[in-house]
Amino acid sequence: ATYRLLRAKMAGVQQLTALAIATADGDVINRTRSYPVMQQTNVASREYFARLRDHPELLASISPPLQGNDGKPMIYIAKRLNAPNGAFIGIVLGAIHVGYIEDLYTNYLRALPGDGKSMALWRNDGTLLARSPVEPDSTSDAMPPDFTRAAPSNGLLSYWTQNPQGSTIAIAQRRVDNFPLLIEVRQSASAMLTPWNSEFLATGTGGGVLLLLVGIAVWLLLRQLRTQALIVEERARANREVEAREDIE
């Protein structure tokens, strides 16, 4: 029953590839890819599992890109499961193809005139999760992201900086609420000016376009993550109901 429920819930969530439940020992006991679970899998050695097991204050943990069962890179978003007394009893795990995010960002970037541009999703520790284009641009992506700048009250930050070669880069950033994530859009000033003129740079219109793009991306990502969180909660609730019926019987 739980398996059918989860498959139905996932049907309308395009970005979600799979869901799984793991015990406090890391053994995967339920997943949407197959039912019943035929291949024994243990995720206790995974970074996201250890972080949630050892840090009850964390809401979620997000993995670096890892190779999925289909051979393609995946990002795993895990949520801690607690007993009524707060004890750790396992995790619920959702998988998203990195390619889905890359394709999404490629579509976003089409709205930005000019070349020399990129859009990326970073963890707060500087781990790159996804970027479009996949190969870094020699000008706009020549330096790592700067996480030290304070963002304004609306959370959207834009600024100009220079890469190691001395070229001017426009950067817009937005941290994702309640998740250790940052979305960033970059474009070289020379590429930004190509379809426009110097007034584009002087009036700040270029930075405004970058901020708008980042804002849209954050809104969509949050909506997707919240949808996944609802599915995770539904799965945990269904499992508790099944266990309660089994105890009565």
Side-chain angles (χ1 to χ4, degrees), residues 1 238 240-249:
R240 288 194 295 268
E241 290 180 354
V242 170
E243 291 171 357
R245 288 197 297 269
E246 289 176 350
D247 290 340
I248 293 174
E249 293 172 356

Side-chain angles (χ1 to χ4, degrees), residues 66-88:
L66 301 169
Q67 185 175 4
N69 292 337
D70 57 4
K72 299 178 181 179
M74 309 280 289
I75 295 171
Y76 295 93
I77 302 176
K79 182 175 181 180
R80 177 183 168 112
L81 294 178
N82 290 330
N85 64 357
F88 176 68

Side-chain angles (χ1 to χ4, degrees), residues 3 17 38 50 54 74 154 175 217 245:
Y3 173 78
T17 302
M38 302 299 294
D54 301 337
M74 309 280 289
N154 64 4
R175 294 186 184 273
R245 288 197 297 269

Side-chain angles (χ1 to χ4, degrees), residues 133-146:
V134 176
E135 294 300 324
D137 182 84
S138 59
T139 301
S140 60
D141 298 319
M143 64 284 194
D146 184 357

Side-chain angles (χ1 to χ4, degrees), residues 6 19-31 41-56 58-63 76-83 87-95 228 232-233 235-236 239:
L6 290 171
L19 283 170
I21 289 181
T23 67
D25 296 322
D27 294 324
V28 175
I29 58 172
N30 203 332
R31 59 186 174 193
T41 303
N42 187 284
V43 296
S45 62
R46 297 292 194 180
E47 175 197 51
Y48 53 77
F49 184 90
R51 284 180 60 80
L52 291 176
R53 179 192 61 204
D54 301 337
H55 297 276
L58 292 180
L59 295 175
S61 181
I62 299 173
S63 78
Y76 295 93
I77 302 176
K79 182 175 181 180
R80 177 183 168 112
L81 294 178
N82 290 330
F88 176 68
I89 59 173
I91 65 169
V92 178
L93 188 64
Q228 179 169 310
V232 164
E233 293 293 347
R235 180 171 199 162
N239 274 351

Side-chain angles (χ1 to χ4, degrees), residues 158-194:
S158 67
Y159 59 93
W160 300 94
T161 189
Q162 287 190 326
N163 67 12
Q165 292 75 40
S167 300
T168 301
I169 308 297
I171 295 179
Q173 295 177 342
R174 176 67 154 83
R175 294 186 184 273
V176 181
D177 296 338
N178 299 320
F179 289 91
L181 299 172
L182 179 141
I183 293 179
E184 184 178 72
V185 179
R186 299 183 179 194
Q187 189 170 27
S188 66
S190 58
M192 185 179 288
L193 288 169
T194 299

